[in-house]
Amino acid sequence: MTVRILGISGSLRSSSSNTALLRACAAIAPANVQFTVYDGLDKLPYFSPELDTEGSTPIDAVLSFRNQVRDADAVIFSTPEYAFGVPGVLKNALDWLVSSGEFVYKPTGVISASPLATGGDKAHASLVQTLNVMTASIPEEYKLIIPLVRTKMDPLGNVTDPELKSSLLTLVNRLASTKTSI
Ligand SMILES: Cc1cc2nc3c(=O)[nH]c(=O)nc-3n(C[C@H](O)[C@H](O)[C@H](O)COP(=O)(O)O)c2cc1C
């Protein structure tokens, strides 16, 4: 059975460590997992409830984002921390999903990664809090905080730290197994 996992990075940087972590997840995922990394975060307009009411013109980028989240069996976020918070682009994307409900009971992994020793723990907590409000399913074992991330990857974004590789694989396997247990 094919399991669809959608990765969403909170960073728009071309050499983002968080996006690289999601690509690493895609590379190590078992053969039955179709892992897609979402690439439209910067195409979403600024959220306003007025753009999202019945009768308003549908926005293609928003519809596509909602469809991709809805069609995924599970979602994995990987986000940096900016000024102790979730990057604005990621929070903006989530705001588009609050009322449309794609995250209701969605098995969701939450990773934060930072070059600092804190691993972006405050952004991690904030992202979990927002997703919990949206009733995503995030048990403790779906959460991963990665400190000192640059010491665990090579300059090309390949994960070199065996412990991190193993944690990512465990997370992907856990999320992949939710499809059969739902
Ligand atoms: C404006 C700005 C604010 C930042 N604030 C934090 C922070 O509060 N905590 C932290 O751990 N790192 C912070 N950083 C460093 C990021 O963790 C670092 O740039 C990281 O590599 C970004 O993730 P990425 O590689 O996925 O783009 C900040 C970086 C920028 C540019």
Side-chain angles (χ1 to χ4, degrees), residues 5 19 27 29 35 38 44 51-52 61 86 93 118 142 147 153 159 168:
I5 299 182
T19 307
F35 197 112
Y38 176 66
L44 294 168
L51 298 176
D52 196 27
V86 174
T118 53
Y142 292 2
M153 307 180 90
V159 177
L168 294 176

Side-chain angles (χ1 to χ4, degrees), residues 9 11-13 15-19 79-85 113-116 118-122 149-150:
S9 171
S11 174
L12 298 179
R13 277 195 332 119
S15 56
S16 159
S17 42
N18 284 279
T19 307
T79 188
E81 177 175 272
Y82 287 164
F84 285 13
S114 165
L116 306 185
T118 53
D121 57 350
K122 289 164 282 299
V149 67
R150 289 189 190 149

